[in-house]
Amino acid sequence: LCCRKFTYNLKLVSATMEGLSSSNPKGYLATPGPDRNGEHMMGTTIMAVEFKGGVVVAADSRTSTGSYVANRVSDKLSKVHEKIYCLRSGSAADTQAVADMVAYYLDMHSVEVDSPPLVKTAANLFKMTTYNNKDRLLASIICAGWDEKKGGQVYSIPLGGSIVRQPFAIGGSGSTYIFGHCDASFKEGMDQKECEAFVSKAISHAMSRDGSSGGVIRMAIITKDGVERKYIPGDKLPFMKDD
């Protein structure tokens, strides 16, 4: 009788452990909660606008891993040369790798030609890298900057590796909420201050609607004089302001 009881208890314990491992593969002591083991994604809102003397680029600061906010103050404005920046959306790892590669090639190119690279050159490097690896990358890029040949320029390089120059470009998961607002608010010939207001209001609207966008707004104004960085904290977003 004692042997039978002991065998029965072992079977019961074994069945219980199997149930635990199938429902909780990390083990009994694993802490339940949001998924923290997925790929870091730049579910985001990014935006760039041309004006007469340069460009304004801006983005929110939320980086997510599934439903978990991995970083609420990340910097999605990546410098690839002195007056050329890229805005990244998609997989954080993929876009960082692509930006690092383009920055490396631009440095070599500028040494070879003994002058700063053109914005179009940087955009084409992004296009070639993403197109040639389109089956392995999840990367959507906006490349913007200033050069002596064409002034301020904005190029959109969406998933798949096409390239389009636009007076303004938006991207990321939050952009789907603000296409109508941007089409209605954009005006040809805006000056720097108007572009800053346009960009900050559009991104703050996207952040209020998109669960994958949030945090603060990081902005950069790129002109012939260099790059000026600006920061709008989360409690000072111009959402729903009429001024």
Side-chain angles (χ1 to χ4, degrees), residues 161-216:
S162 59
I163 180 171
V164 184
R165 182 178 176 183
Q166 298 174 297
F168 77 93
I170 55 178
S173 56
S175 65
T176 57
Y177 297 91
I178 57 171
F179 272 101
H181 169 75
C182 290
D183 287 340
S185 302
F186 176 75
K187 298 179 294 183
E188 293 283 353
M190 289 192 294
D191 61 21
Q192 178 183 326
K193 293 298 182 185
E194 289 174 317
C195 285
E196 289 181 35
F198 171 55
V199 165
S200 60
K201 189 167 186 178
I203 292 180
S204 64
H205 273 269
M207 290 164 66
S208 71
R209 292 288 183 180
D210 178 34
S212 296
S213 300
V216 303

Coordinates of all heavy atoms in Angstrom, one line a residue, residues 161-216:
G161 N 12.9 49.7 -49.8 CA 14.1 50.3 -50.4 C 13.8 51.3 -51.5 O 14.8 51.5 -52.3
S162 N 12.6 51.8 -51.7 CA 12.4 52.8 -52.7 C 12.9 54.2 -52.1 O 13.2 54.3 -50.9 CB 11.0 52.9 -53.1 OG 10.2 53.2 -52.0
I163 N 13.0 55.2 -53.0 CA 13.5 56.5 -52.5 C 12.7 57.6 -53.2 O 12.5 57.6 -54.4 CB 15.0 56.7 -52.7 CG1 15.5 58.0 -52.2 CG2 15.3 56.5 -54.2 CD1 17.0 58.2 -52.3
V164 N 12.1 58.5 -52.3 CA 11.3 59.6 -52.9 C 11.7 60.9 -52.1 O 11.7 60.9 -50.9 CB 9.8 59.4 -52.6 CG1 9.0 60.5 -53.3 CG2 9.4 58.0 -53.2
R165 N 12.0 62.0 -52.9 CA 12.2 63.3 -52.3 C 10.8 63.9 -52.1 O 10.0 64.0 -53.0 CB 13.1 64.2 -53.1 CG 13.4 65.5 -52.4 CD 14.3 66.4 -53.1 NE 14.4 67.7 -52.4 CZ 15.1 68.7 -52.8 NH1 15.8 68.7 -53.9 NH2 15.1 69.8 -52.1
Q166 N 10.6 64.5 -50.9 CA 9.3 65.1 -50.6 C 9.5 66.4 -49.8 O 10.5 66.6 -49.1 CB 8.5 64.2 -49.7 CG 8.1 62.9 -50.4 CD 7.4 61.9 -49.4 OE1 8.0 61.5 -48.4 NE2 6.1 61.6 -49.7
P167 N 8.6 67.4 -49.9 CA 8.7 68.6 -49.1 C 8.6 68.3 -47.6 O 9.2 69.0 -46.8 CB 7.6 69.5 -49.6 CG 6.6 68.6 -50.3 CD 7.4 67.5 -50.8
F168 N 7.8 67.3 -47.3 CA 7.8 66.8 -45.9 C 7.5 65.3 -45.9 O 6.9 64.8 -46.9 CB 6.7 67.6 -45.0 CG 5.3 67.1 -45.3 CD1 4.7 66.1 -44.5 CD2 4.5 67.7 -46.2 CE1 3.4 65.7 -44.7 CE2 3.2 67.3 -46.5 CZ 2.7 66.3 -45.7
A169 N 8.0 64.6 -44.9 CA 7.8 63.2 -44.9 C 7.4 62.8 -43.4 O 8.0 63.4 -42.5 CB 9.1 62.5 -45.3
I170 N 6.5 61.8 -43.3 CA 6.2 61.3 -42.0 C 6.3 59.8 -42.1 O 6.2 59.2 -43.1 CB 4.8 61.7 -41.5 CG1 3.7 61.3 -42.6 CG2 4.7 63.2 -41.2 CD1 2.3 61.7 -42.2
G171 N 6.5 59.1 -40.9 CA 6.7 57.7 -40.9 C 6.4 57.1 -39.5 O 6.3 57.9 -38.6
G172 N 6.4 55.8 -39.5 CA 6.2 55.1 -38.2 C 4.7 54.8 -38.0 O 3.8 55.3 -38.7
S173 N 4.4 54.1 -36.9 CA 3.0 53.7 -36.6 C 2.1 54.9 -36.3 O 0.9 54.8 -36.6 CB 3.0 52.7 -35.4 OG 3.6 53.3 -34.3
G174 N 2.7 55.9 -35.8 CA 1.8 57.1 -35.4 C 1.5 57.9 -36.6 O 0.5 58.8 -36.6
S175 N 2.2 57.8 -37.7 CA 1.9 58.6 -38.9 C 0.5 58.4 -39.5 O 0.0 59.3 -40.1 CB 3.0 58.4 -40.0 OG 2.9 57.1 -40.5
T176 N 0.0 57.2 -39.3 CA -1.3 56.9 -39.9 C -2.4 57.8 -39.3 O -3.5 57.9 -39.9 CB -1.7 55.4 -39.6 OG1 -1.6 55.1 -38.2 CG2 -0.7 54.5 -40.4
Y177 N -2.2 58.3 -38.1 CA -3.2 59.1 -37.5 C -3.1 60.6 -37.9 O -4.1 61.4 -37.6 CB -3.0 59.1 -35.9 CG -3.2 57.7 -35.3 CD1 -2.1 56.8 -35.2 CD2 -4.5 57.3 -35.0 CE1 -2.3 55.6 -34.6 CE2 -4.7 56.0 -34.4 CZ -3.6 55.2 -34.3 OH -3.8 53.9 -33.7
I178 N -2.1 61.0 -38.6 CA -1.9 62.5 -38.8 C -1.7 62.8 -40.3 O -1.4 63.9 -40.6 CB -0.7 63.0 -38.0 CG1 0.6 62.2 -38.4 CG2 -1.0 63.0 -36.5 CD1 1.9 62.8 -37.8
F179 N -2.0 61.9 -41.2 CA -1.9 62.2 -42.6 C -2.9 63.4 -43.0 O -2.5 64.3 -43.7 CB -2.2 61.0 -43.5 CG -1.0 60.1 -43.8 CD1 -0.8 59.0 -43.1 CD2 -0.1 60.5 -44.7 CE1 0.3 58.2 -43.3 CE2 1.0 59.7 -45.0 CZ 1.2 58.6 -44.3
G180 N -4.1 63.3 -42.5 CA -5.1 64.4 -42.8 C -4.7 65.7 -42.2 O -4.8 66.7 -42.9
H181 N -4.2 65.6 -41.0 CA -3.7 66.9 -40.3 C -2.6 67.5 -41.1 O -2.6 68.7 -41.3 CB -3.3 66.6 -38.9 CG -2.6 67.7 -38.2 ND1 -3.3 68.8 -37.7 CD2 -1.3 67.9 -37.9 CE1 -2.4 69.7 -37.2 NE2 -1.2 69.1 -37.3
C182 N -1.6 66.7 -41.5 CA -0.4 67.2 -42.2 C -0.8 67.8 -43.6 O -0.3 68.9 -43.9 CB 0.6 66.1 -42.3 SG 1.4 65.6 -40.8
D183 N -1.7 67.1 -44.3 CA -2.1 67.6 -45.6 C -2.8 68.9 -45.5 O -2.7 69.8 -46.3 CB -3.0 66.6 -46.3 CG -2.3 65.4 -46.8 OD1 -1.0 65.5 -47.0 OD2 -2.9 64.3 -47.0
A184 N -3.6 69.1 -44.4 CA -4.4 70.3 -44.2 C -3.5 71.4 -43.7 O -3.8 72.6 -44.0 CB -5.5 70.0 -43.2
S185 N -2.5 71.1 -42.9 CA -1.7 72.2 -42.2 C -0.5 72.6 -43.0 O 0.0 73.7 -42.8 CB -1.3 71.7 -40.9 OG -2.4 71.4 -40.1
F186 N 0.0 71.7 -43.9 CA 1.3 72.0 -44.6 C 1.1 73.2 -45.6 O 0.1 73.2 -46.4 CB 1.8 70.8 -45.3 CG 3.0 71.1 -46.2 CD1 4.3 71.3 -45.6 CD2 2.9 71.2 -47.6 CE1 5.4 71.5 -46.3 CE2 4.1 71.5 -48.3 CZ 5.3 71.6 -47.7
K187 N 2.0 74.1 -45.7 CA 2.0 75.2 -46.6 C 3.4 75.3 -47.3 O 4.4 75.2 -46.6 CB 1.7 76.5 -46.0 CG 0.3 76.6 -45.3 CD 0.1 77.9 -44.6 CE 1.0 78.1 -43.5 NZ 0.8 79.4 -42.7
E188 N 3.4 75.6 -48.6 CA 4.7 75.8 -49.3 C 5.3 77.1 -48.7 O 4.6 78.1 -48.5 CB 4.5 75.9 -50.8 CG 4.0 74.6 -51.4 CD 5.2 73.6 -51.6 OE1 6.3 74.0 -51.4 OE2 4.9 72.5 -52.0
G189 N 6.6 77.1 -48.6 CA 7.3 78.3 -48.3 C 7.3 78.7 -46.8 O 7.5 79.9 -46.4
M190 N 7.0 77.7 -45.9 CA 7.1 78.0 -44.5 C 8.5 78.3 -44.0 O 9.4 77.7 -44.5 CB 6.5 76.8 -43.7 CG 5.0 76.6 -43.8 SD 4.4 75.4 -42.6 CE 5.1 73.9 -43.1
D191 N 8.6 79.2 -43.0 CA 9.9 79.5 -42.5 C 10.2 78.5 -41.3 O 9.5 77.6 -41.0 CB 10.0 81.0 -42.0 CG 9.0 81.3 -40.9 OD1 8.5 80.4 -40.2 OD2 8.7 82.5 -40.7
Q192 N 11.4 78.7 -40.7 CA 11.8 77.8 -39.7 C 10.9 77.6 -38.5 O 10.5 76.5 -38.1 CB 13.2 78.2 -39.2 CG 13.8 77.2 -38.1 CD 15.1 77.7 -37.5 OE1 15.9 78.2 -38.3 NE2 15.3 77.5 -36.3
K193 N 10.4 78.8 -38.0 CA 9.5 78.8 -36.9 C 8.2 78.1 -37.2 O 7.6 77.3 -36.4 CB 9.3 80.2 -36.4 CG 10.5 80.9 -35.8 CD 11.0 80.1 -34.5 CE 12.2 80.8 -33.9 NZ 12.7 80.0 -32.8
E194 N 7.7 78.3 -38.4 CA 6.4 77.7 -38.8 C 6.6 76.2 -38.9 O 5.7 75.4 -38.6 CB 5.9 78.3 -40.1 CG 5.4 79.7 -40.0 CD 5.1 80.3 -41.3 OE1 5.8 80.2 -42.3 OE2 4.0 81.0 -41.4
C195 N 7.8 75.8 -39.5 CA 8.0 74.3 -39.6 C 8.2 73.7 -38.2 O 7.7 72.5 -38.0 CB 9.3 74.1 -40.4 SG 9.1 74.4 -42.2
E196 N 8.8 74.3 -37.3 CA 8.9 73.8 -35.9 C 7.5 73.6 -35.3 O 7.3 72.6 -34.7 CB 9.8 74.7 -35.1 CG 11.2 74.7 -35.4 CD 12.0 75.6 -34.5 OE1 11.7 75.7 -33.3 OE2 13.0 76.3 -35.0
A197 N 6.7 74.6 -35.5 CA 5.3 74.5 -34.9 C 4.5 73.4 -35.6 O 3.8 72.6 -34.9 CB 4.6 75.8 -35.0
F198 N 4.7 73.3 -36.9 CA 4.0 72.3 -37.7 C 4.4 70.9 -37.3 O 3.5 70.0 -37.0 CB 4.3 72.5 -39.2 CG 3.8 71.4 -40.1 CD1 2.5 71.0 -40.1 CD2 4.7 70.8 -41.0 CE1 2.1 70.0 -41.0 CE2 4.3 69.8 -41.9 CZ 3.0 69.4 -41.9
V199 N 5.7 70.7 -37.1 CA 6.2 69.4 -36.7 C 5.8 69.0 -35.3 O 5.3 67.9 -35.1 CB 7.7 69.3 -36.9 CG1 8.3 68.1 -36.2 CG2 8.1 69.3 -38.4
S200 N 6.0 69.9 -34.4 CA 5.7 69.6 -33.0 C 4.2 69.3 -32.7 O 3.9 68.4 -32.0 CB 6.2 70.7 -32.1 OG 5.5 71.9 -32.4
K201 N 3.3 70.0 -33.4 CA 1.9 69.8 -33.2 C 1.5 68.5 -33.9 O 0.7 67.7 -33.3 CB 1.1 70.9 -33.8 CG -0.4 70.9 -33.5 CD -1.1 72.2 -33.8 CE -2.6 72.1 -33.3 NZ -3.3 73.3 -33.6
A202 N 2.0 68.2 -35.0 CA 1.7 66.9 -35.7 C 2.1 65.7 -34.9 O 1.3 64.8 -34.7 CB 2.3 66.9 -37.1
I203 N 3.3 65.7 -34.4 CA 3.9 64.6 -33.6 C 3.1 64.5 -32.3 O 2.8 63.3 -31.8 CB 5.4 64.7 -33.4 CG1 6.1 64.6 -34.7 CG2 5.9 63.7 -32.4 CD1 7.6 64.7 -34.7
S204 N 2.8 65.6 -31.6 CA 2.1 65.5 -30.4 C 0.7 64.9 -30.6 O 0.2 64.1 -29.7 CB 2.0 66.9 -29.7 OG 1.2 67.7 -30.5
H205 N 0.0 65.2 -31.7 CA -1.3 64.6 -32.0 C -1.1 63.1 -32.2 O -1.9 62.3 -31.7 CB -1.9 65.2 -33.3 CG -2.7 66.4 -33.1 ND1 -4.0 66.4 -32.9 CD2 -2.3 67.7 -33.0 CE1 -4.5 67.6 -32.7 NE2 -3.4 68.5 -32.8
A206 N -0.1 62.7 -32.9 CA 0.2 61.2 -33.1 C 0.5 60.5 -31.8 O 0.0 59.4 -31.6 CB 1.3 61.0 -34.1
M207 N 1.2 61.2 -30.9 CA 1.6 60.6 -29.6 C 0.3 60.4 -28.8 O 0.2 59.4 -28.0 CB 2.6 61.4 -28.9 CG 4.0 61.4 -29.5 SD 5.0 62.8 -29.0 CE 5.3 62.4 -27.3
S208 N -0.7 61.3 -28.9 CA -1.9 61.2 -28.1 C -2.8 60.0 -28.6 O -3.6 59.5 -27.8 CB -2.6 62.5 -28.1 OG -3.2 62.7 -29.4
R209 N -2.6 59.6 -29.8 CA -3.5 58.5 -30.4 C -2.8 57.2 -30.5 O -3.5 56.1 -30.3 CB -4.0 59.0 -31.8 CG -4.9 60.2 -31.8 CD -6.3 59.8 -31.3 NE -7.2 60.9 -31.3 CZ -8.5 60.8 -30.9 NH1 -8.9 59.6 -30.4 NH2 -9.3 61.8 -31.0
D210 N -1.5 57.2 -30.8 CA -0.8 55.9 -31.0 C -0.2 55.4 -29.8 O 0.6 56.0 -29.1 CB 0.3 56.2 -32.1 CG 1.1 54.9 -32.4 OD1 0.5 53.8 -32.4 OD2 2.3 55.0 -32.7
G211 N -0.5 54.1 -29.4 CA 0.0 53.5 -28.2 C 1.5 53.2 -28.3 O 2.1 53.0 -27.3
S212 N 2.0 53.1 -29.5 CA 3.5 52.8 -29.7 C 4.3 54.1 -29.8 O 5.5 54.0 -30.0 CB 3.7 52.0 -30.9 OG 3.0 50.7 -30.7
S213 N 3.7 55.3 -29.7 CA 4.4 56.6 -29.7 C 4.2 57.3 -28.4 O 3.1 57.2 -27.8 CB 3.9 57.5 -30.9 OG 4.1 56.8 -32.1
G214 N 5.2 58.0 -27.9 CA 5.0 58.7 -26.6 C 6.3 59.2 -26.1 O 7.3 59.3 -26.9
G215 N 6.3 59.7 -24.9 CA 7.5 60.2 -24.3 C 7.7 61.7 -24.5 O 6.8 62.5 -24.2
V216 N 8.8 62.1 -25.1 CA 9.1 63.5 -25.4 C 9.3 63.7 -26.9 O 9.3 62.7 -27.7 CB 10.3 63.9 -24.6 CG1 10.2 63.7 -23.2 CG2 11.6 63.2 -25.1

